[in-house]
Amino acid sequence: MAESRLQSSYLPLRDFTSRLPGHRPGTRTHVSTLIRFATDGAKGLGGGRVKLRAIRIGNRWLTTEAWFADFLDALTTGSDADEAAAHVLPTPSAADLATRKRAAKAAAELDVALGR
């Protein structure tokens, strides 16, 4: 595994800023936007969050060509790709609902265990 990491070519996120257009015509995406995509993700077509896979070494954020391509595919095609689907995060409301369901199930199991 460590050998495969050494063989892959990590590039700084700043090398990918010119690949995405900025919100104003003739501009490019700022590196802080790519860092936000790596840490918080971006909203995908299905409503979930899709994260740009990246690693941080010191104060540098690095990604690979393949990871960047997976991120763009996940944003444009939804969660169809198996690799991209692993990086799709639930929306906050879906996560809250799942947490409430798990809490209700745990409470029911506790009631059964205590004989209530």
Side-chain angles (χ1 to χ4, degrees):
M1 170 123 163
E3 185 176 317
S4 66
R5 280 192 175 194
L6 293 175
Q7 291 176 353
S8 64
S9 58
Y10 292 110
L11 299 169
L13 288 183
R14 73 174 173 272
D15 290 354
F16 295 89
T17 58
S18 61
R19 298 184 189 191
L20 295 173
H23 68 282
R24 293 187 180 135
T27 62
R28 60 184 183 179
T29 300
H30 196 272
V31 69
S32 63
T33 303
L34 294 176
I35 293 171
R36 186 174 61 248
F37 290 162
T39 56
D40 299 334
K43 189 173 182 179
L45 290 177
R49 307 282 299 171
V50 179
K51 282 191 173 184
L52 170 61
R53 190 169 174 194
I55 61 171
R56 186 173 182 181
I57 299 176
N59 64 348
R60 296 181 64 198
W61 283 94
L62 307 170
T63 192
T64 66
E65 297 280 348
W67 292 351
F68 189 75
D70 289 344
F71 173 70
L72 294 180
D73 287 343
L75 286 178
T76 57
T77 61
S79 58
D80 294 338
D82 292 335
E83 183 68 27
H87 302 293
V88 175
L89 303 175
T91 59
S93 59
D96 292 342
L97 179 63
T99 301
R100 282 183 289 204
K101 284 183 179 179
R102 284 194 305 270
K105 182 179 176 184
E109 289 174 0
L110 181 62
D111 287 343
V112 169
L114 294 176
R116 293 185 196 169

